[in-house]
Amino acid sequence: MPRRLLQRYMPRPETLKRQKSLRFMHHLLGDPSLWMLSRRSVGNAFMVGLFVALLPIPLQMVVAAFGAWLLRCNLPLSVSLVWLTNPLTMPVIFYFNYRIGAWLLDTPARHMPDRLSTAWIAEKMADILPALLVGSVVVAIIVGLLSNLTIRLIWRWQVARSWRRRARRRRQRKA
């Protein structure tokens, strides 16, 4: 992965330490392992961030931060990946998770109404919730593990490519 590109967009720990709303986390923000950009820390950050993003739970950013702290992976990356499920993408993603859960539980999936409303969701919640939870957990595990593997492979490929370029430049200088 292009480490310089990631570093350009990541906030600095000093900047976050100065914010009044984050003072209670001062001791966590100082941990250098939460800011490291390595193949392992970035791969695990993708795994944590995407896993939490695909779960239908409140306070996803807090859960992702706690997961990043537990696995000692990149904190800003794991917290920012939670925004994959934003208000625009959330209905589509959770409906997909629900359909997967209904298929796994071998229950008939409810079709989306023409007009989605909170009243419809509240009325059907008892029927929807088991399939949504099972589907969300299964999809989150699969996407989390695949993203970790993919990031590690891409990172390794980038490093090998960089080594080959460097070796090629050295050979050209000697010739």
Side-chain angles (χ1 to χ4, degrees):
M1 288 300 277
R3 186 176 303 189
R4 289 185 196 111
L5 178 70
L6 289 174
Q7 285 175 338
R8 186 180 317 151
Y9 294 107
M10 281 186 21
R12 303 268 181 242
E14 302 81 33
T15 308
L16 294 177
K17 284 180 190 177
R18 281 184 260 143
Q19 289 188 0
K20 291 180 182 180
S21 62
L22 297 176
R23 287 227 174 108
F24 71 97
M25 296 177 63
H26 181 73
H27 61 286
L28 291 177
L29 295 175
D31 187 357
S33 65
L34 298 177
W35 299 91
M36 190 180 328
L37 287 172
S38 66
R39 181 174 54 193
R40 185 190 71 75
S41 69
V42 172
N44 287 347
F46 266 79
M47 181 176 63
V48 168
L50 292 177
F51 176 81
V52 174
L54 295 173
L55 297 178
I57 58 174
L59 303 171
Q60 289 178 328
M61 291 175 71
V62 174
V63 175
F66 184 69
W69 177 74
L70 278 177
L71 292 179
R72 294 288 185 248
C73 59
N74 192 284
L75 176 71
L77 198 52
S78 64
V79 170
S80 64
L81 282 168
V82 167
W83 282 96
L84 172 74
T85 50
N86 58 56
L88 293 176
T89 61
M90 195 179 295
V92 175
I93 290 172
F94 289 155
Y95 184 68
F96 174 78
N97 291 352
Y98 165 71
R99 295 292 298 224
I100 295 293
W103 177 73
L104 288 171
L105 293 175
D106 199 27
T107 59
R110 302 234 180 249
H111 294 285
M112 289 279 275
D114 293 333
R115 293 201 49 162
L116 186 63
S117 66
T118 55
W120 182 86
I121 292 173
E123 179 182 319
K124 305 292 182 188
M125 187 56 72
D127 297 334
I128 294 172
L129 199 57
L132 176 63
L133 292 177
V134 168
S136 294
V137 168
V138 168
V139 170
I141 289 171
I142 291 170
V143 168
L145 291 174
L146 283 176
S147 67
N148 190 342
L149 179 66
T150 303
I151 292 299
R152 288 177 186 232
L153 288 174
I154 290 171
W155 195 291
R156 185 177 174 98
W157 175 75
Q158 287 272 31
V159 168
R161 191 175 91 182
S162 173
W163 287 350
R164 284 192 300 271
R165 283 181 180 168
R166 199 175 315 150
R168 194 177 319 126
R169 276 188 247 133
R170 284 184 192 149
R171 283 192 302 256
Q172 287 173 351
R173 284 186 205 141
K174 287 181 182 179

